[in-house]
Amino acid sequence: MLKKSLSYITILAIALTTLLLTGCSNDNSKKITTMATENKKELILAIGSEPDEGFDPTTGWGRYGSPLFQSTLLKRNNDMEIVKDLATEYSVSDDGLVWTVTIRDDVKFSDSTSLTAHDVVFTYQTAQESSSVVDLTVMDRVEALDDYTVQFTLKKPQSTFVNLLVTLGIVPKDSYSSDYGQNPIGSGPFKFVQWDKGQQLIVEANPEYYGAKPYFEKLTFLYLSEETAFAAARAGQVDVAAIVPAFANQQVPGMRLLALESVDNRGIMFPYTMEGNKTEEGHPIGNAVTSDLAIRKAINVAIDREALVEGILNGYGSPAYSVSDKMPWWNPDTVIQDGNLEEAKKILADGQWEDRDGDGIVEKGSLKAEFTLIYSASDNTRQSLAIAVADQLKQIGIKVNVEGKSWDEIKKQMHSNAVVFGWGSHDPLEMYHLYHSKYRGVSWYNTGYYANDLVDKYLDKALTAKDEETANQYWQKAQWDGSTGFSAKGDAPWAWLVNHNHLYLVKENLYMGQQKIQPHGHGWPLTDNIEAWRWEN
């Protein structure tokens, strides 16, 4: 296996070199031997980045999309509704504290050992102790009532706990070790075979899988940049390739463009408070300009989001008005009429911002409407968005100084400067982290120090609701209740800009099923329904 896989990497490198040296011509790409579909039960994919920490769900693997190797207790269908996976049923006590889950009795891990409630208990305990991105602080304890019944007891009701049952893959208690992430064993549709770090991951269909058997027997994931993945697609060396919008309109023989709707958004976070305070580390908090409501509202109204989608994403995206557009907990009333320069100027004037000295920048007293907008210097899309927004805001008298920074630099400056951030999750808990006042200055969450007591109450009620339907009503009110909220119609602590489409070049006859709206993180979420993939005649 190793010799064969390394040989493939070598051949791929030769093919790409040939393609690049000849200018990526369509004629030449047809002459190169196509390896991607040589074995019809095999797929070669270049769809995402390499997970640095490996494939351990207890430390975060699989939280964006399917964990691939592991099964989860529950999952979401294409309509984002909760459905069963390992679980055959689950219930929540009247006080919302006790969750009882019954699991299937016919499930085996890929090493042929049985999966029981004791593995589920071990998984959740291990994740809780890992102090990773898997947040299980609300869980008081988890125990096995018998071999196929698990009971979770929470410290307080939390409606979003259901999303941990959706995303946390189950690991085997008896064979788990410190290097599990490098050689995972699970009960998912595919089993781990080989990981050549920095190059590729090879997986094969899991013969023990209890669900619909995958059509494909082997998958090879190549870790390529999006530019190199595009060249590999042109060379006929991959069946699926993740690409950037700049390549989306280029024709590739034998391949079609798959553009998937997503909640993978980009937006501008505004420092919400006046300047003057500092964090415990000594970093400044607040901004005199962006702390003014008229500034934030005018910016939200002035930005032409459709123009950003067309000009920067080549049309492959949609305007963003919240962190969770089109999710079940999104409030559609948060959509505003944007690109309205006259309305934006009126908002500024009503807020006493006027250009009294004729320099093209409005001021309020002695304060000029000028601030810095920072973005990750390594991200061309964020740079383009920042520059385009700055150009649009010139027209209403707001001067935006655009600066690219490293993430280390951004971390020091993000409480006092506007920042282009990206979010987008299948879990509404993300809203709680971004907008609740208790998360002000906590990690990368509420970096602008936003606070609204009524919004906090709505968010708390959403979090402690006993069912998702009730919770969604409060999530929506927190965004906009008709008079206040954290959306652009309310306090406007953010100006959300665009939702990316996730773009892939796909072999023309490869059917990939119905895909749900993609979360933040290009690539791995695509595999969520991989059992449905197959060749079509």
Side-chain angles (χ1 to χ4, degrees):
M1 180 68 70
L2 183 61
K3 290 181 180 178
K4 182 179 179 181
S5 61
L6 290 178
S7 175
Y8 177 75
I9 292 290
T10 302
I11 294 172
L12 174 60
I14 293 170
L16 295 186
T17 301
T18 302
L19 187 67
L20 292 171
L21 289 175
T22 54
C24 296
S25 70
N26 285 342
D27 290 341
N28 189 70
S29 66
K30 292 177 182 177
K31 295 176 183 177
I32 296 173
T33 302
T34 298
M35 294 189 61
T37 57
E38 194 172 282
N39 184 339
K40 286 294 186 179
K41 290 293 185 176
E42 238 182 85
L43 282 182
I44 298 169
L45 310 98
I47 62 169
S49 58
E50 188 171 27
D52 295 332
E53 297 179 357
F55 307 98
D56 187 346
T58 68
T59 58
W61 162 250
R63 69 189 185 278
Y64 289 125
S66 168
L68 190 65
F69 305 116
Q70 299 90 6
S71 305
T72 54
L73 294 174
L74 303 172
K75 57 185 178 181
R76 289 188 181 273
N77 63 17
N78 291 326
D79 297 319
M80 298 303 296
E81 298 168 335
I82 300 289
V83 295
K84 301 177 185 69
D85 189 0
L86 285 175
T88 57
E89 59 179 321
Y90 75 100
S91 61
V92 185
S93 63
D94 290 341
D95 61 7
L97 293 176
V98 180
W99 294 58
T100 306
V101 182
T102 303
I103 65 172
R104 301 171 62 124
D105 61 4
D106 61 345
V107 178
K108 291 185 177 182
F109 290 108
S110 57
D111 63 357
S112 299
T113 59
S114 295
L115 186 156
T116 70
H118 306 287
D119 298 296
V120 177
V121 170
F122 174 79
T123 297
Y124 278 79
Q125 288 176 337
T126 302
Q128 186 178 47
E129 294 166 3
S130 71
S131 300
S132 68
V133 293
V134 182
D135 186 358
L136 276 165
T137 54
V138 73
M139 189 177 75
D140 181 49
R141 64 185 182 276
V142 55
E143 53 197 328
L145 301 185
D146 56 44
D147 284 349
Y148 301 103
T149 308
V150 182
Q151 188 172 88
F152 301 90
T153 303
L154 309 186
K155 298 173 185 176
K156 57 184 179 180
Q158 183 169 311
S159 60
T160 58
F161 184 72
V162 72
N163 291 293
L164 285 162
L165 307 186
V166 170
T167 58
L168 184 53
I170 305 304
V171 303
K173 176 182 178 181
D174 291 341
S175 58
Y176 185 87
S177 64
S178 58
D179 67 346
Y180 174 86
Q182 313 302 309
N183 189 21
I185 294 171
S187 57
F190 285 85
K191 66 177 182 178
F192 176 90
V193 175
Q194 178 180 320
W195 181 14
D196 301 317
K197 292 187 178 181
Q199 297 186 62
Q200 64 184 356
L201 169 72
I202 298 173
V203 307
E204 292 178 354
N206 178 9
E208 302 287 0
Y209 185 53
Y210 55 89
K213 301 300 181 184
Y215 173 91
F216 293 99
E217 298 171 355
K218 178 182 176 184
L219 307 176
T220 299
F221 297 91
L222 303 181
Y223 297 127
L224 306 175
S225 69
E226 288 172 315
E227 291 78 8
T228 308
F230 177 71
R234 293 289 297 269
Q237 300 299 306
V238 295
D239 297 299
V240 183
I243 63 169
V244 294
F247 298 142
N249 294 324
Q250 297 190 39
Q251 297 297 311
V252 176
M255 303 196 84
R256 60 185 171 87
L257 179 69
L258 177 65
L260 297 180
E261 192 175 22
S262 90
V263 69
D264 189 354
N265 47 51
R266 300 293 180 270
I268 299 173
M269 179 285 305
F270 298 116
Y272 188 77
T273 62
M274 276 294 292
E275 59 191 20
N277 293 319
K278 291 188 176 182
T279 67
E280 292 180 359
E281 297 80 13
H283 305 317
I285 299 171
N287 186 291
V289 176
T290 63
S291 62
D292 191 292
L293 178 61
I295 292 287
R296 300 193 306 272
K297 278 186 169 288
I299 289 173
N300 267 283
V301 169
I303 291 172
D304 188 336
R305 292 165 175 81
E306 285 284 0
L308 297 179
V309 171
E310 293 301 321
I312 295 170
L313 303 184
N314 282 348
Y316 294 104
S318 61
Y321 298 98
S322 81
V323 72
S324 56
D325 290 2
K326 300 181 182 178
M327 292 290 100
W329 41 89
W330 173 54
N331 185 344
D333 291 339
T334 57
V335 175
I336 60 172
Q337 181 182 355
D338 62 4
N340 190 335
L341 299 181
E342 294 308 312
E343 177 63 20
K345 290 176 182 177
K346 182 179 183 304
I347 292 171
L348 290 174
D350 291 344
Q352 301 178 9
W353 291 90
E354 298 179 17
D355 181 11
R356 297 180 180 88
D357 58 9
D359 67 350
I361 305 172
V362 297
E363 60 263 357
K364 189 174 185 178
S366 60
L367 181 64
K368 290 282 187 181
E370 179 177 358
F371 63 89
T372 298
L373 174 60
I374 57 181
Y375 62 90
S376 169
S378 62
D379 192 316
N380 292 334
T381 299
R382 296 188 196 208
Q383 178 188 45
S384 298
L385 286 169
I387 293 171
V389 166
D391 286 342
Q392 290 182 356
L393 296 184
K394 278 182 186 177
Q395 301 175 73
I396 61 169
I398 295 177
K399 183 179 180 182
V400 180
N401 302 309
V402 176
E403 296 181 9
K405 303 283 185 181
S406 70
W407 283 113
D408 286 340
E409 292 175 307
I410 291 172
K411 197 169 186 177
K412 298 173 184 176
Q413 301 179 33
M414 64 186 179
H415 305 303
S416 57
N417 293 286
V419 183
V420 180
F421 277 125
W423 294 91
S425 174
H426 286 169
D427 187 344
L429 187 61
E430 184 172 77
M431 282 194 294
Y432 195 90
H433 290 153
L434 289 180
Y435 293 107
H436 199 289
S437 63
K438 78 177 186 180
Y439 279 94
R440 286 175 292 182
V442 176
S443 185
W444 296 93
Y445 292 138
N446 188 353
T447 58
Y449 281 70
Y450 170 67
N452 178 318
D453 288 342
L454 185 54
V455 167
D456 281 354
K457 289 178 181 177
Y458 286 143
L459 291 173
D460 287 335
K461 287 182 177 180
L463 196 64
T464 57
K466 296 175 185 176
D467 60 83
E468 194 171 37
E469 183 179 354
T470 302
N472 288 346
Q473 295 174 13
Y474 287 112
W475 294 127
Q476 291 164 1
K477 284 186 175 182
Q479 295 163 62
W480 179 243
D481 67 359
S483 59
T484 191
F486 60 68
S487 69
K489 286 187 174 180
D491 298 322
W494 284 72
W496 293 100
L497 303 176
V498 298
N499 298 303
H500 281 264
N501 280 355
H502 287 181
L503 303 177
Y504 303 90
L505 287 174
V506 179
K507 287 291 182 182
E508 287 179 343
N509 58 338
L510 178 59
Y511 173 74
M512 303 179 72
Q514 182 182 349
Q515 295 277 343
K516 59 173 69 79
I517 293 178
Q518 303 283 287
H520 185 73
H522 203 160
W524 290 108
L526 184 71
T527 66
D528 188 56
N529 69 334
I530 201 161
E531 302 98 308
W533 295 16
R534 63 180 184 273
W535 294 118
E536 288 186 327
N537 294 328

